Amino acid sequence: MPKTGGAVQPGCDQTWNAEDYARQAGYVAELGRPVVDLLQPKEGERILDLGCGDGRLSVALAKTGATILACDSSSDMVARARATGVEALVLDAQNFLFEEEFDAVFSNAALHWMKDSVSVIEGVHRALLPDGRFVAEFGGFGNIAAITAAITAVLNAHGFDGAGLNPWFFPTADAYRKLLENAGFRVKRIDLFSRPTFLPQGMKSWLDMFVQEFFQPVGDLSEKLKGEVVAALHPVLRDDGGYWYADHMRLRFAAFKD
Ligand code: BEZ
């Protein structure tokens, strides 16, 4: 019988430390700039930033003259976002109740943590004004496939339920388009593309930052098992100069409330 351990809610408070995130994952916001360009925020608009992290992109959005409400399920991240001067709220995007308040909802690198995608999309639809837009990018089908396969294999080999501990949702473009249309969105564009991403701190640091749910039941074995994951990934994701890359696939879309 595989070991599963206690459940940790995806993206919940105890799994994120904003200082570590800023040190390890500052590149995430930089890579989100094209999504800001796709959104084209305008002066006077009211925009919800869903899963704002440390608020770096909320600040970029606010520079256009739009009014931003940033939100994240992590109070540590929200504190960090507030420190930048942005208005920010702790909020579970799978369960929120804004009614026709926003011209746009924006999200970067967050929706893959929210497995209840139907509730997220319905909540966004409800929150938008008529003709409002939902513009986002997140991990799509095949995202970090090598990393996920290595983690799953190592956990299974040690008697844990690797697949059962997976906290992520990486849909195909077709599947996500249908979810958007079912909720009443008109999809203007939706693209799945590969974006290998340089990991400035290497693979072990990336695992320490992002795979806590997988390793939560592992306890003291955690360092040993992560070492095995890193070793398995050497031939796949480390180049001949010793630099590590994550095998990211991005799903980027723009959809309008009908
Ligand atoms: C991503 O941005 O695709 C991602 C980052 C951390 C964990 C899982 C996915």
Side-chain angles (χ1 to χ4, degrees):
M1 166 77 85
K3 303 169 233 172
T4 50
V8 173
Q9 211 192 346
C12 68
D13 264 5
Q14 65 267 36
T15 64
W16 294 105
N17 176 284
E19 235 170 81
D20 286 349
Y21 184 86
R23 210 174 23 252
Q24 309 275 4
Y27 64 89
V28 173
E30 273 319 302
L31 294 170
R33 297 278 166 173
V35 203
V36 176
D37 295 342
L38 181 61
L39 176 68
Q40 292 191 309
K42 291 174 199 64
E43 187 165 359
E45 284 189 324
R46 184 159 162 75
I47 299 176
L48 179 67
D49 181 358
L50 209 56
C52 64
D54 60 11
R56 282 182 219 205
L57 285 177
S58 316
V59 170
L61 296 172
K63 280 195 178 136
T64 64
T67 301
I68 309 303
L69 178 61
C71 64
D72 203 283
S73 61
S74 157
S75 54
D76 210 22
M77 288 298 192
V78 164
R80 190 106 186 171
R82 282 186 185 144
T84 69
V86 166
E87 185 186 355
L89 277 185
V90 179
L91 180 146
D92 176 3
Q94 297 168 118
N95 183 20
F96 68 97
L97 286 172
F98 294 111
E99 290 264 357
E100 300 205 346
E101 285 192 37
F102 298 95
D103 298 288
V105 175
F106 169 89
S107 184
N108 180 57
L111 297 176
H112 47 251
W113 292 101
M114 305 170 198
K115 279 191 158 172
D116 185 359
S117 53
V118 170
S119 296
V120 173
I121 294 170
E122 285 175 358
V124 170
H125 191 269
R126 204 180 309 117
L128 285 168
L129 289 159
D131 235 13
R133 60 206 191 279
F134 182 20
V135 175
E137 181 178 304
F138 66 109
F141 183 70
N143 192 42
I144 52 172
I147 299 175
T148 307
I151 295 171
T152 306
V154 167
L155 287 171
N156 289 349
H158 287 270
F160 297 94
D161 173 12
L165 290 163
N166 186 332
W168 302 315
F169 161 69
F170 298 138
T172 61
D174 278 352
Y176 206 74
R177 173 191 288 276
K178 282 198 186 90
L179 290 174
L180 289 164
E181 288 174 349
N182 287 345
F185 280 102
R186 187 170 17 96
V187 179
K188 187 172 170 210
R189 58 176 284 187
I190 182 161
D191 305 300
L192 180 69
F193 58 95
S194 167
R195 195 201 59 203
T197 303
F198 174 56
L199 301 180
Q201 313 279 338
M203 183 56 69
K204 174 59 169 54
S205 291
W206 190 92
L207 294 175
D208 287 342
M209 182 75 224
F210 288 118
V211 303
Q212 295 169 42
E213 279 87 354
F214 269 116
F215 286 89
Q216 201 254 344
V218 171
D220 291 346
L221 273 180
S222 190
E223 287 300 295
K224 173 174 154 38
L225 269 53
K226 282 184 194 169
E228 291 179 21
V229 172
V230 172
L233 291 171
H234 263 199
V236 191
L237 296 178
R238 202 178 65 146
D239 73 10
D240 47 15
Y243 296 108
W244 283 96
Y245 292 81
D247 48 339
H248 280 309
M249 297 289 295
R250 304 328 272 173
L251 191 56
R252 185 184 293 166
F253 67 88
F256 288 78
K257 179 169 177 168
D258 264 340

PDB file of all heavy atoms in Angstrom, residues 109 112-113 138-139 143-144 168 170 206 210 248 250, ligand 1:
ATOM      1  N   ALA A 109       1.588  32.249 -14.069  1.00  0.00           N
ATOM      2  CA  ALA A 109       2.268  31.153 -13.361  1.00  0.00           C
ATOM      3  C   ALA A 109       1.580  30.775 -12.058  1.00  0.00           C
ATOM      4  O   ALA A 109       2.250  30.493 -11.055  1.00  0.00           O
ATOM      5  CB  ALA A 109       3.739  31.522 -13.108  1.00  0.00           C
ATOM      6  N   HIS A 112      -1.909  26.716 -12.530  1.00  0.00           N
ATOM      7  CA  HIS A 112      -1.622  25.278 -12.454  1.00  0.00           C
ATOM      8  C   HIS A 112      -1.629  24.754 -11.014  1.00  0.00           C
ATOM      9  O   HIS A 112      -1.593  23.544 -10.796  1.00  0.00           O
ATOM     10  CB  HIS A 112      -0.304  24.929 -13.161  1.00  0.00           C
ATOM     11  CG  HIS A 112       0.833  25.820 -12.812  1.00  0.00           C
ATOM     12  ND1 HIS A 112       1.370  26.728 -13.689  1.00  0.00           N
ATOM     13  CD2 HIS A 112       1.537  25.965 -11.660  1.00  0.00           C
ATOM     14  CE1 HIS A 112       2.350  27.380 -13.114  1.00  0.00           C
ATOM     15  NE2 HIS A 112       2.474  26.939 -11.883  1.00  0.00           N
ATOM     16  N   TRP A 113      -1.636  25.669 -10.036  1.00  0.00           N
ATOM     17  CA  TRP A 113      -1.729  25.231  -8.634  1.00  0.00           C
ATOM     18  C   TRP A 113      -3.179  25.040  -8.203  1.00  0.00           C
ATOM     19  O   TRP A 113      -3.434  24.629  -7.073  1.00  0.00           O
ATOM     20  CB  TRP A 113      -1.080  26.268  -7.708  1.00  0.00           C
ATOM     21  CG  TRP A 113       0.400  26.388  -7.853  1.00  0.00           C
ATOM     22  CD1 TRP A 113       1.072  27.355  -8.544  1.00  0.00           C
ATOM     23  CD2 TRP A 113       1.409  25.519  -7.304  1.00  0.00           C
ATOM     24  NE1 TRP A 113       2.426  27.135  -8.452  1.00  0.00           N
ATOM     25  CE2 TRP A 113       2.658  26.015  -7.686  1.00  0.00           C
ATOM     26  CE3 TRP A 113       1.349  24.374  -6.510  1.00  0.00           C
ATOM     27  CZ2 TRP A 113       3.853  25.416  -7.324  1.00  0.00           C
ATOM     28  CZ3 TRP A 113       2.541  23.763  -6.138  1.00  0.00           C
ATOM     29  CH2 TRP A 113       3.782  24.289  -6.546  1.00  0.00           C
ATOM     30  N   PHE A 138       0.005  29.935 -17.801  1.00  0.00           N
ATOM     31  CA  PHE A 138       0.358  28.973 -16.740  1.00  0.00           C
ATOM     32  C   PHE A 138       0.891  27.711 -17.389  1.00  0.00           C
ATOM     33  O   PHE A 138       1.032  27.629 -18.612  1.00  0.00           O
ATOM     34  CB  PHE A 138      -0.846  28.713 -15.822  1.00  0.00           C
ATOM     35  CG  PHE A 138      -2.033  28.005 -16.440  1.00  0.00           C
ATOM     36  CD1 PHE A 138      -2.334  26.695 -16.081  1.00  0.00           C
ATOM     37  CD2 PHE A 138      -2.853  28.635 -17.353  1.00  0.00           C
ATOM     38  CE1 PHE A 138      -3.443  26.035 -16.613  1.00  0.00           C
ATOM     39  CE2 PHE A 138      -3.964  27.985 -17.903  1.00  0.00           C
ATOM     40  CZ  PHE A 138      -4.248  26.684 -17.536  1.00  0.00           C
ATOM     41  N   GLY A 139       1.195  26.708 -16.564  1.00  0.00           N
ATOM     42  CA  GLY A 139       1.765  25.481 -17.104  1.00  0.00           C
ATOM     43  C   GLY A 139       0.709  24.661 -17.824  1.00  0.00           C
ATOM     44  O   GLY A 139      -0.344  24.367 -17.259  1.00  0.00           O
ATOM     45  N   ASN A 143       3.981  20.244 -19.198  1.00  0.00           N
ATOM     46  CA  ASN A 143       4.829  21.117 -18.388  1.00  0.00           C
ATOM     47  C   ASN A 143       5.644  20.299 -17.375  1.00  0.00           C
ATOM     48  O   ASN A 143       5.112  19.385 -16.736  1.00  0.00           O
ATOM     49  CB  ASN A 143       3.956  22.132 -17.634  1.00  0.00           C
ATOM     50  CG  ASN A 143       4.769  23.248 -17.003  1.00  0.00           C
ATOM     51  OD1 ASN A 143       5.695  23.774 -17.625  1.00  0.00           O
ATOM     52  ND2 ASN A 143       4.443  23.611 -15.785  1.00  0.00           N
ATOM     53  N   ILE A 144       6.908  20.635 -17.272  1.00  0.00           N
ATOM     54  CA  ILE A 144       7.864  19.969 -16.370  1.00  0.00           C
ATOM     55  C   ILE A 144       7.640  18.447 -16.318  1.00  0.00           C
ATOM     56  O   ILE A 144       7.666  17.829 -15.232  1.00  0.00           O
ATOM     57  CB  ILE A 144       7.888  20.603 -14.948  1.00  0.00           C
ATOM     58  CG1 ILE A 144       6.494  20.719 -14.336  1.00  0.00           C
ATOM     59  CG2 ILE A 144       8.556  21.954 -14.987  1.00  0.00           C
ATOM     60  CD1 ILE A 144       6.527  21.165 -12.860  1.00  0.00           C
ATOM     61  N   TRP A 168      -0.386  19.495  -9.181  1.00  0.00           N
ATOM     62  CA  TRP A 168      -0.515  20.389 -10.338  1.00  0.00           C
ATOM     63  C   TRP A 168      -1.578  19.973 -11.335  1.00  0.00           C
ATOM     64  O   TRP A 168      -1.948  18.803 -11.431  1.00  0.00           O
ATOM     65  CB  TRP A 168       0.830  20.490 -11.060  1.00  0.00           C
ATOM     66  CG  TRP A 168       1.931  20.983 -10.194  1.00  0.00           C
ATOM     67  CD1 TRP A 168       1.887  22.036  -9.325  1.00  0.00           C
ATOM     68  CD2 TRP A 168       3.251  20.414 -10.086  1.00  0.00           C
ATOM     69  NE1 TRP A 168       3.112  22.161  -8.692  1.00  0.00           N
ATOM     70  CE2 TRP A 168       3.962  21.200  -9.140  1.00  0.00           C
ATOM     71  CE3 TRP A 168       3.913  19.360 -10.708  1.00  0.00           C
ATOM     72  CZ2 TRP A 168       5.281  20.943  -8.799  1.00  0.00           C
ATOM     73  CZ3 TRP A 168       5.227  19.091 -10.362  1.00  0.00           C
ATOM     74  CH2 TRP A 168       5.910  19.884  -9.424  1.00  0.00           C
ATOM     75  N   PHE A 170      -2.112  20.578 -15.466  1.00  0.00           N
ATOM     76  CA  PHE A 170      -1.479  21.056 -16.701  1.00  0.00           C
ATOM     77  C   PHE A 170      -2.329  20.626 -17.902  1.00  0.00           C
ATOM     78  O   PHE A 170      -2.044  19.601 -18.549  1.00  0.00           O
ATOM     79  CB  PHE A 170      -0.068  20.459 -16.847  1.00  0.00           C
ATOM     80  CG  PHE A 170       0.907  20.827 -15.750  1.00  0.00           C
ATOM     81  CD1 PHE A 170       1.763  19.859 -15.218  1.00  0.00           C
ATOM     82  CD2 PHE A 170       1.009  22.130 -15.268  1.00  0.00           C
ATOM     83  CE1 PHE A 170       2.681  20.180 -14.227  1.00  0.00           C
ATOM     84  CE2 PHE A 170       1.927  22.460 -14.268  1.00  0.00           C
ATOM     85  CZ  PHE A 170       2.759  21.480 -13.748  1.00  0.00           C
ATOM     86  N   TRP A 206      15.396  24.554  -6.981  1.00  0.00           N
ATOM     87  CA  TRP A 206      14.047  24.594  -7.565  1.00  0.00           C
ATOM     88  C   TRP A 206      13.141  23.582  -6.843  1.00  0.00           C
ATOM     89  O   TRP A 206      11.999  23.896  -6.490  1.00  0.00           O
ATOM     90  CB  TRP A 206      14.120  24.304  -9.067  1.00  0.00           C
ATOM     91  CG  TRP A 206      12.824  24.551  -9.785  1.00  0.00           C
ATOM     92  CD1 TRP A 206      12.424  25.704 -10.408  1.00  0.00           C
ATOM     93  CD2 TRP A 206      11.734  23.610  -9.949  1.00  0.00           C
ATOM     94  NE1 TRP A 206      11.166  25.542 -10.933  1.00  0.00           N
ATOM     95  CE2 TRP A 206      10.719  24.273 -10.661  1.00  0.00           C
ATOM     96  CE3 TRP A 206      11.527  22.303  -9.548  1.00  0.00           C
ATOM     97  CZ2 TRP A 206       9.514  23.665 -11.009  1.00  0.00           C
ATOM     98  CZ3 TRP A 206      10.322  21.680  -9.877  1.00  0.00           C
ATOM     99  CH2 TRP A 206       9.335  22.359 -10.605  1.00  0.00           C
ATOM    100  N   PHE A 210       9.635  24.435  -4.888  1.00  0.00           N
ATOM    101  CA  PHE A 210       8.349  24.199  -5.549  1.00  0.00           C
ATOM    102  C   PHE A 210       7.709  22.832  -5.340  1.00  0.00           C
ATOM    103  O   PHE A 210       6.582  22.630  -5.790  1.00  0.00           O
ATOM    104  CB  PHE A 210       8.489  24.427  -7.053  1.00  0.00           C
ATOM    105  CG  PHE A 210       8.647  25.879  -7.432  1.00  0.00           C
ATOM    106  CD1 PHE A 210       9.797  26.326  -8.064  1.00  0.00           C
ATOM    107  CD2 PHE A 210       7.640  26.795  -7.158  1.00  0.00           C
ATOM    108  CE1 PHE A 210       9.936  27.662  -8.420  1.00  0.00           C
ATOM    109  CE2 PHE A 210       7.768  28.126  -7.515  1.00  0.00           C
ATOM    110  CZ  PHE A 210       8.926  28.560  -8.141  1.00  0.00           C
ATOM    111  N   HIS A 248       9.651  23.667 -19.247  1.00  0.00           N
ATOM    112  CA  HIS A 248       8.337  24.322 -19.151  1.00  0.00           C
ATOM    113  C   HIS A 248       7.569  24.294 -20.472  1.00  0.00           C
ATOM    114  O   HIS A 248       8.133  24.514 -21.541  1.00  0.00           O
ATOM    115  CB  HIS A 248       8.506  25.796 -18.752  1.00  0.00           C
ATOM    116  CG  HIS A 248       8.722  26.002 -17.285  1.00  0.00           C
ATOM    117  ND1 HIS A 248       7.912  25.457 -16.321  1.00  0.00           N
ATOM    118  CD2 HIS A 248       9.647  26.706 -16.609  1.00  0.00           C
ATOM    119  CE1 HIS A 248       8.334  25.810 -15.118  1.00  0.00           C
ATOM    120  NE2 HIS A 248       9.397  26.563 -15.269  1.00  0.00           N
ATOM    121  N   ARG A 250       4.099  26.357 -21.712  1.00  0.00           N
ATOM    122  CA  ARG A 250       3.183  27.410 -21.261  1.00  0.00           C
ATOM    123  C   ARG A 250       1.885  27.368 -22.045  1.00  0.00           C
ATOM    124  O   ARG A 250       1.879  27.133 -23.269  1.00  0.00           O
ATOM    125  CB  ARG A 250       3.798  28.818 -21.437  1.00  0.00           C
ATOM    126  CG  ARG A 250       5.113  29.062 -20.774  1.00  0.00           C
ATOM    127  CD  ARG A 250       5.319  28.311 -19.524  1.00  0.00           C
ATOM    128  NE  ARG A 250       4.848  28.950 -18.308  1.00  0.00           N
ATOM    129  CZ  ARG A 250       4.850  28.335 -17.115  1.00  0.00           C
ATOM    130  NH1 ARG A 250       5.256  27.097 -16.990  1.00  0.00           N
ATOM    131  NH2 ARG A 250       4.421  28.962 -16.055  1.00  0.00           N
TER     132      ARG A 250
HETATM  133  C1  BEZ B   1       5.504  26.543 -13.580  1.00  0.00           C
HETATM  134  O1  BEZ B   1       5.665  27.767 -13.572  1.00  0.00           O
HETATM  135  O2  BEZ B   1       5.186  25.944 -14.596  1.00  0.00           O
HETATM  136  C2  BEZ B   1       5.668  25.768 -12.331  1.00  0.00           C
HETATM  137  C3  BEZ B   1       6.498  26.260 -11.335  1.00  0.00           C
HETATM  138  C4  BEZ B   1       6.612  25.537 -10.172  1.00  0.00           C
HETATM  139  C5  BEZ B   1       5.964  24.345 -10.018  1.00  0.00           C
HETATM  140  C6  BEZ B   1       5.153  23.861 -11.010  1.00  0.00           C
HETATM  141  C7  BEZ B   1       5.016  24.569 -12.181  1.00  0.00           C
END
